[in-house]
Amino acid sequence: MIPSDLPLAAETRMWDRFFDNYVSYPQGRLVFMAIGREPDDGKGGAAWKSMLETSYALLDRRMAGRTWAVGENFSLADCAARLRAGGQKNIRLTARLSHITA
């Protein structure tokens, strides 16, 4: 799941952290707000939605012409990305996302 090539291994771990910190975390905050486990911020989670929009736009640019998040093979980074884009049906994203698939 982590390539033996050291530069690819470091890149894999970086993207694993990216998905956890910049995609999964804001999604979790929005879910907690929606189910009442976190106080509503009074702005409909605008900061978290903005963070997701920025993250998805970056991912969309990165994934243009790629199959996997890092290198030529499935890796830990792809596991971290699993179905995250598809779980946001109620969040309006303004970025055009043509290279992200779940």
Side-chain angles (χ1 to χ4, degrees):
M1 298 303 292
I2 298 175
S4 58
D5 176 73
L6 291 181
L8 279 179
E11 187 178 0
T12 298
R13 293 298 294 158
M14 184 203 67
W15 283 100
D16 170 58
R17 300 294 11 156
F18 173 86
F19 288 114
D20 284 347
N21 292 317
Y22 297 102
V23 178
S24 184
Y25 183 74
Q27 284 178 349
R29 299 292 297 261
L30 289 166
V31 168
F32 285 160
M33 282 177 51
I35 65 172
R37 300 284 302 212
E38 181 171 322
D40 190 324
D41 64 1
K43 299 175 186 173
W48 304 119
K49 291 175 186 176
S50 176
M51 187 177 196
L52 283 173
E53 186 169 324
T54 300
S55 298
Y56 287 161
L58 182 147
L59 285 169
D60 192 56
R61 288 189 304 272
R62 175 169 177 77
M63 293 308 295
R66 302 177 71 94
T67 300
W68 306 112
V70 177
E72 299 297 321
N73 298 302
F74 183 81
S75 72
L76 180 69
D78 300 294
C79 291
R82 73 192 180 283
L83 300 178
R84 302 255 165 93
Q88 293 304 309
K89 294 176 186 169
N90 294 323
I91 294 175
R92 182 183 208 95
L93 297 175
T94 59
R96 184 173 183 273
L97 305 174
S98 60
H99 302 290
I100 300 175
T101 59

